[in-house]
Amino acid sequence: MAKAAKLCQLYGRETPLSATPLQARPQPRKLSGLQTQALVIAEIFILAGLYFCVGKFGLSLAFVNASASAVWPPTGLALAALLLRGRRLWPGVFVGAFLVNITTQGSVSTTLGIATGNTLEAVLGAWLVGRFAGGLKVFDRARTIFAFVLLAAMVSTALSAAFGVTSLCLGGFAQWQQYWTVWWTWWLGDMVGALTVTPLLVIWLAQPAVGLTTKQAPEAAGLLLTVVLVGQIVFRGRNPFSDPNAPLGYAALLPLLWAAFRFGPRGAATTAFIASGIALWGTLHGFGPFVKADTNQSLLFVQAFIGTITVAVLVLAAAVAERKRAEHRLQVQDAVSRILADAPTLREATPKVIQALCERAGWELGAIWHVDRAANELSCVEVWHVPWLSVPQFEATTRQRRFPPGIGLPGRVWTSGKPAWVPDVTTDDNFPRAPVAIQEGLHAAFCFPIRLGEDVLGVIECFSREVREPDENFLQMLTPIGSQLGQFIERKQAEESLRVVLRRYAGDLERQVEERTAKLQDTIRSLDGFCYSIAHDLRAPLRALSGFSAELSQQYAEVLDGPGREYLARIKAAAARMDQLILDLLKFGRLNTVELPVETVPLNALVPEVLEPLEDQIKTQRAEVRLRQPLLPVRANAVVVEQVLTNLLDNALKFVPPSTPPQVEVWTEPRNGMVRLCVRDNGIGIKAEYLKKLFQPFARLVDGTEFPGTGIGLAIVRKGVERMGGRVGVESQVGQGSCFWVELPGEQSVEA
């Protein structure tokens, strides 16, 4: 128990949620048929004796008729006995009822009628509860508690009241005109007896005992003290109002709500029983809000109050317990879901899933088994246990063991496909590892299947060093977890199959890419050679054309008339444009293949160098070029940066309205590890719809006669900047100029 407490403390839980630990005990030996009959007879006599004693107490409070009491605990006793030990104990109810009534008043015939009614009441109530209200689990859920109230506390008790009162009237021990008065007293006494006594006995005897923790014990003592103090105030007249019958009955409900919230159905049933005893004693002694001139009427009122608050707190306790079970189930499922979502493989997920189940449910050791279809057996995949637990032999045996269908706890669950719980594996007939479990002190175990549809892919089992009674709610929670694991396994298998296919296709694709890349490189090299050859062949006649045009202009200019000289000038200009176009095409093509070594380019030195060839144009146009210092350095290819700047500055000087002096401004600014170089002008501007195709080759957006050019300059800018790991853009408004910018890596980004 010390280790169990240590486990609970380690994982922040006062008691395990999945089950209640009991001390390890040997399994009771099976009884022979004769011994079983003797045991049943003994139980019948014990029940009859208890019924007689409790019945005498009840009839001592009979005021409307000697055989009809508003307080009748035997109904609850009989119903609980038949629920716990079976309806075969009905003779004990009959004998006890007969003896308690024959020794009070009446003849044998009337007593037989009363005993028959009491017996039928217990048998019918037990059958109805077992059939429609969950049997011994009747007080676990609010729905079954309401069914218990209707079927056992109201319907079956009406049968006893009818038999009893009718027998009394027929025997002359009650007047017919008093029939309904006596019937009402009889029925209410039986009903409240069922509501107060049956829950107390069934909850305490059908469910394993739970010891209070060190934190719960002071709270339980405080709760008990509060119940007594409130009872003294309400039903002993010790209140500040100096009124022994002050209407304070509602105050008695407060400590019962405390019990329902903090101690569950067991605490609710116990405190309700104690409160009912205090209320009954106070009412009989003339204290409390239910005291009337007629004692029987006082008892009827207080019994109605007791029945009402008992049902209320039982329903509340069941609802709270259901909510806690749902929260626990969601916590476990959420933990498993998180593990499965984060784990890349089943092997990594397996120990974490077992650990989550053990930690959140208060178990100490777990193992997962895989179904080997080829061998038709289960093999252990992984074993996990809490850090302080040492079970080396059991762990080794589990890892080495293999189970065929139906053998051992894993084999049984594999065959049935349903969760199973063994309170003590050391006494189980079908647990081959029992000798090792005995040696290392393992007892309780549960096991559930990992399912995918109807197929069982494996099982998970967990163990405890304590004997634990089965917890049906916990077993129900395991079914969806098993389905989760099955879906995870299916998904991982599908992912692995997909990865295999993708690797195969990736290999094929990589080979195809390599082959096509090699072919493309050969094609590019051939195309480069072809381009250079074409350029050389095209420029040769252009040089001849330019040379002869120049010679003709120098030697025969005086012979030519005005139109002739104009035609000659056009020939020279066309040849120059053609030559420039070929040069630009060569530059553009070379940017696709040429290696571009990167270095630190100081723009504050490079920009003035680029402006030197443009000085004549700047003076002719009366342009103003302003450099905003400092110009930040960039990591790029100096030759390409020079080409980019030349094109941008040439465009800034060229595309201005006639008779407008160009105004150009150049500056740099840091942008997230990059350096943005900006060139702004006061030119004609660009329409928004043209901005997207501005950097495409041969994009001529203005009249070529007014603004001459090849249409490749900005394409060279973009290609060169992108080859150096940068980007290019423009901001422009028609009539207000443009701002072209390029972003290139800065020195800091390279160092980072």
Side-chain angles (χ1 to χ4, degrees), residues 315-442:
V315 170
L316 178 62
V320 172
E322 285 185 83
R323 181 179 60 82
K324 289 182 178 179
R325 288 193 296 267
E327 289 177 352
H328 178 222
R329 181 165 55 251
L330 291 176
Q331 288 173 357
V332 175
Q333 291 176 348
D334 179 67
V336 173
S337 298
R338 290 177 181 272
I339 293 170
L340 298 182
D342 296 337
T345 63
L346 177 62
R347 183 166 295 277
E348 293 185 23
T350 296
K352 296 179 180 179
V353 169
I354 300 174
Q355 180 180 355
L357 284 174
C358 291
E359 287 180 354
R360 284 165 175 77
W363 294 73
E364 298 152 355
L365 181 143
I368 186 168
W369 299 78
H370 169 69
V371 174
D372 186 345
R373 301 292 180 187
N376 194 33
E377 60 185 10
L378 286 165
S379 60
C380 182
V381 176
E382 187 62 64
V383 177
W384 179 91
H385 59 79
V386 293
W388 55 262
L389 182 67
S390 177
V391 285
Q393 294 187 16
F394 187 85
E395 182 177 351
T397 301
T398 299
R399 291 184 183 276
Q400 298 170 3
R401 188 84 191 200
R402 290 177 173 266
F403 288 108
I407 303 301
L409 182 58
R412 276 183 282 174
V413 172
W414 178 20
T415 302
S416 67
K418 298 178 180 179
W421 186 298
V422 180
D424 190 353
V425 296
T426 63
T427 59
D428 190 78
D429 295 335
N430 188 6
F431 194 80
R433 291 169 289 170
V436 185
I438 293 173
Q439 183 177 353
E440 301 201 323
L442 295 176

Side-chain angles (χ1 to χ4, degrees), residues 222-240:
L223 172 62
L224 181 61
L225 180 61
T226 303
V227 172
V228 175
L229 290 177
V230 172
Q232 294 289 319
I233 294 172
V234 178
F235 297 105
R236 290 293 301 274
R238 297 176 180 177
N239 57 70

Side-chain angles (χ1 to χ4, degrees), residues 26-48:
Q27 191 80 359
R29 62 185 181 87
K30 296 182 180 179
L31 300 178
S32 64
L34 185 61
Q35 290 174 325
T36 301
Q37 292 180 1
L39 178 61
V40 171
I41 293 173
E43 290 176 344
I44 289 174
F45 276 104
I46 292 173
L47 176 59

Side-chain angles (χ1 to χ4, degrees), residues 109-161:
S109 58
T110 58
T111 303
L112 287 174
I114 294 172
T116 300
N118 290 343
T119 305
L120 291 176
E121 171 191 68
V123 172
L124 178 62
W127 181 82
L128 290 174
V129 171
R131 179 66 176 82
F132 301 105
L136 293 177
K137 301 291 184 180
V138 59
F139 301 109
D140 288 351
R141 301 181 182 277
R143 178 180 58 82
T144 53
I145 292 176
F146 285 123
F148 172 82
V149 173
L150 175 64
L151 300 176
M154 299 179 69
V155 173
S156 65
T157 52
L159 184 66
S160 174

